[in-house]
Amino acid sequence: MYFPTTRVLTVLELLQSGQRMSGPELAGRLEVNIRTVRRYITMLQDLGIPVETERGRYGSYRLRPGFKLPPLMFTDEETLAVTLGLLAARKLGLAVAAPAVEGALAKIERVLPAALRERVQAIQNTLSFDVPSYGVAPDSAIIGTLCAAAQRERRVRLRYQAYESDETEREVDLYGLVYRSGFWYAVGYCYLRQDVRVFRLDRIISAEQRDETYQRPDDFDCMSHVTHAIATMPDKWLVEVELETTLEHAQHMVPPTMATLEQSPGGVLLRCYTHNMDWMAATLAGLNCPFTIHQPPELRDAVQQLADRLSATAALANS
């Protein structure tokens, strides 16, 4: 029977991290089924590697405590994958990413064969990332603390400075972290507000892992929750506009962080908050579909003013 060598070695690499890993977890990481994972484990055991199995519905696996292997060499594909990951980390703007990334890339290049070194250098010199950056970098130590707490399902105590608000101290059961539109967010149940809340990481002053544990809700989607929270964040005006189009077209034209969309008798109901009516009027004009403004009346005035300006510009262009 054929066993893909690279995947068997990947199982060994994962187990050498020192963590106990379940069959479904390994299967998901390797994109294979549970039965294939069992075959890989058996092959490692046949090679004399002490992989210990714990009984259960799917079973879990770990290397015998204290067992260590010499470092494994990266394949060409793994080296390129690591390089891409390091470049992406640099672009995401972590507070200590620059020196860490440069040091890691230098170490990788130093031991590469000439041909592979040229490929890695080509990636560094030619690849560009279109990742929004607003100059707001969260503390890498805080990211590490929050990720570890979420992984262990341990409560955290935060000192948090909300926008135009007083500094608060609160305890939170974290469900996960999200990078979205140039910012880092943490999502979890806040005991101060007695509800699920979203926290901008650059506004977290300090984070401390606590002893209390919790259970993360099943199937909680952190990215969807953050996206909806951004779109529904209160601002100066609440906007409700009915678009005469299909939901599919509206979803293609309207970013999910800008507004919520739902089917309505007349088409699609767009709902969001804004503090800039001129921007909102221009955005609606760019959707290329008829629309009816339900509220606020200030938006009707802004749309009329935009129409007047465009008509005047068109008249000058045709004169």
Side-chain angles (χ1 to χ4, degrees), residues 84 87 90 118-129:
L84 287 171
L87 295 175
R90 176 204 284 164
E118 289 182 6
R119 292 180 66 189
V120 170
Q121 290 174 341
I123 290 176
Q124 295 184 59
N125 295 333
T126 61
L127 181 64
S128 298
F129 286 89

Side-chain angles (χ1 to χ4, degrees), residues 55-221:
R55 300 293 181 182
R57 181 178 179 186
Y58 296 107
S60 62
Y61 309 97
R62 68 170 183 172
L63 287 180
R64 181 184 302 157
F67 178 80
K68 297 293 181 182
L69 283 175
L72 298 178
M73 295 297 293
F74 286 141
T75 65
D76 290 3
E77 290 76 12
E78 289 170 339
T79 301
L80 295 176
V82 170
T83 302
L84 287 171
L86 290 169
L87 295 175
R90 176 204 284 164
K91 184 63 179 178
L92 292 181
L94 297 182
V96 297
V101 167
E102 296 305 326
L105 287 173
K107 290 175 183 177
I108 290 174
E109 287 187 21
R110 190 167 60 245
V111 298
L112 292 179
L116 185 54
R117 184 184 302 117
E118 289 182 6
R119 292 180 66 189
V120 170
Q121 290 174 341
I123 290 176
Q124 295 184 59
N125 295 333
T126 61
L127 181 64
S128 298
F129 286 89
D130 183 17
V131 178
S133 178
Y134 303 103
V136 182
D139 190 312
S140 295
I142 287 179
I143 292 179
T145 297
L146 298 182
C147 287
Q151 173 70 19
R152 299 170 184 168
E153 296 187 340
R154 299 275 291 274
R155 190 170 301 168
V156 293
R157 176 174 292 168
L158 304 179
R159 285 179 57 216
Y160 189 70
Q161 179 68 63
Y163 179 66
E164 294 185 346
S165 238
D166 293 334
E167 179 182 316
T168 58
E169 188 169 293
R170 56 185 80 195
E171 295 197 351
V172 179
D173 294 344
L174 283 181
Y175 301 154
L177 273 64
V178 169
Y179 181 84
R180 175 88 199 202
S181 302
F183 294 98
W184 289 80
Y185 301 91
V187 186
Y189 183 84
C190 174
Y191 286 87
L192 178 64
R193 303 304 183 201
Q194 297 290 299
D195 198 3
V196 177
R197 285 289 191 265
V198 174
F199 305 94
R200 276 256 303 266
L201 262 63
D202 57 291
R203 294 176 181 164
I204 296 178
I205 301 169
S206 65
E208 175 190 356
Q209 189 174 142
R210 309 292 292 169
D211 293 332
E212 294 88 348
T213 61
Y214 60 93
Q215 186 171 0
R216 185 183 297 107
D218 293 335
D219 301 324
F220 185 88
D221 190 330

